[in-house]
Amino acid sequence: MEKKILLAIVILLSAAYVTEARRKPLIGITTGCSPEEYSKVRRTYGDAVIRSGGIPLLLPQVNGIDEALEVVSRLDGILFTGGEDVDPARYGQSVLNETVNINHHRDTLDFLYAEAALRKGLPILAICRGAQLMNVALGGALFQDLPAEKPSNVAHSQSEQGEVPTHLCIVSRNTLLHRIMEKDTLHVNSFHHQAVSVPSDKVTVSARCDDGVVEAFEIVSRKQWLLAVQFHPEVLVRADDRWLALFKAFIKAAR
């Protein structure tokens, strides 16, 4: 009788393990927002998560770190999306010029979720504004306006459609990004006028544009998996499935 009971327990535990292993990771996605009216985001982010084996969930507007931690505790990963500029006050600067477009409400929410995700060691994929935000959250700083502070022949705010890559970036070997994409160079799209100026001392820069602008950075450790890119792979993937590799690596980490 005892052997039968023990066998039944083993079978139940095995079934629970298999069910958990097959469960698709739940991925929180940050949104554009206003205090009273809306939370919204382009569907390209969720589409890429679904195609890579995850379940996207738009993150709610929370009222403090405790609520953010509660939300994050239910997630398997978090994707920080593109959007407005990060408030320069968060990295010790005053607004440079009229091109700097700040959404203070979104900043508050995104930094709460960044703190919660980092505290929990949740896998993070950060895109465009998301990359800039994570660099600041980790102690780094930004160029507020590339044309004014770091002029270049590269059009970092392209006029072409998002599916069209317009400039080259150079990938450092022995980095997570290089292992995922298996390339020394990548042709990427570009829709930003801000960028990392001082990388956090907690990250490794894994790609730069040929004009020196940081295009990707990462953290890979037992405590944290983070990949941040300045370009928009969730749009590039519409024309080139190879960009799904970034999202699949993220979903794998979230499992």
Side-chain angles (χ1 to χ4, degrees):
M1 181 62 71
E2 289 181 357
K3 288 183 178 181
K4 289 182 178 180
I5 292 174
L6 182 59
L7 179 60
I9 292 172
V10 170
I11 291 172
L12 287 172
L13 289 174
S14 298
Y17 175 81
V18 170
T19 298
E20 179 65 18
R22 289 178 177 174
R23 184 178 68 86
K24 292 183 177 181
L26 186 63
I27 305 300
I29 298 180
T30 61
T31 68
C33 58
S34 66
E36 303 297 337
E37 296 179 11
Y38 67 82
S39 293
K40 64 182 181 181
V41 69
R42 292 183 183 276
R43 65 171 293 173
T44 48
Y45 298 99
D47 288 349
V49 168
I50 290 171
R51 290 180 65 188
S52 301
I55 298 176
L57 174 71
L58 301 191
L59 293 177
Q61 299 190 36
V62 293
N63 296 304
I65 189 60
D66 289 340
E67 289 184 10
L69 286 165
E70 184 69 20
V71 172
V72 164
S73 70
R74 305 297 207 279
L75 302 175
D76 300 301
I78 187 166
L79 195 166
F80 288 88
T81 61
E84 302 96 336
D85 300 327
V86 175
D87 186 353
R90 291 187 178 268
Y91 46 96
Q93 296 181 18
S94 301
V95 172
L96 177 68
N97 59 32
E98 70 282 354
T99 69
V100 180
N101 176 28
I102 303 167
N103 179 335
H104 293 287
H105 182 63
R106 181 171 185 186
D107 269 1
T108 297
L109 290 173
D110 279 2
F111 276 99
L112 285 172
Y113 277 121
E115 179 182 349
L118 290 168
R119 277 203 210 175
K120 295 285 188 181
L122 205 67
I124 293 169
L125 178 61
I127 293 173
C128 198
R129 165 192 162 86
Q132 296 163 11
L133 177 129
M134 291 309 306
N135 185 57
V136 173
L138 290 164
L142 306 177
F143 291 115
Q144 293 187 45
D145 184 41
L146 286 172
E149 296 181 272
K150 190 176 172 60
S152 169
N153 291 327
V154 176
H156 286 285
S157 184
Q158 70 186 55
S159 57
E160 293 86 350
Q161 293 297 311
E163 294 88 347
V164 180
T166 58
H167 75 75
L168 189 73
C169 67
I170 302 159
V171 183
S172 298
R173 294 196 172 192
N174 300 315
T175 60
L176 174 64
L177 181 61
H178 194 277
R179 290 194 295 274
I180 292 171
M181 299 305 295
E182 299 181 328
K183 289 183 177 294
D184 295 332
T185 59
L186 295 170
H187 286 87
V188 301
N189 55 11
S190 202
F191 294 96
H192 63 103
H193 80 111
Q194 298 200 330
V196 171
S197 63
V198 181
S200 162
D201 60 9
K202 299 179 178 66
V203 309
T204 298
V205 173
S206 45
R208 289 182 183 270
C209 178
D210 51 13
D211 67 0
V213 168
V214 173
E215 290 288 341
F217 62 85
E218 60 193 53
I219 301 175
V220 184
S221 70
R222 286 180 294 178
K223 294 183 178 180
Q224 187 69 60
W225 188 101
L226 180 153
L227 179 59
V229 296
Q230 184 57 68
F231 49 91
H232 283 271
E234 82 288 354
V235 181
L236 289 169
V237 75
R238 287 185 159 186
D240 188 346
D241 283 350
R242 288 175 293 183
W243 287 104
L244 276 180
L246 287 179
F247 295 91
K248 289 180 178 179
F250 172 48
I251 297 302
K252 182 178 179 180
R255 290 188 185 279

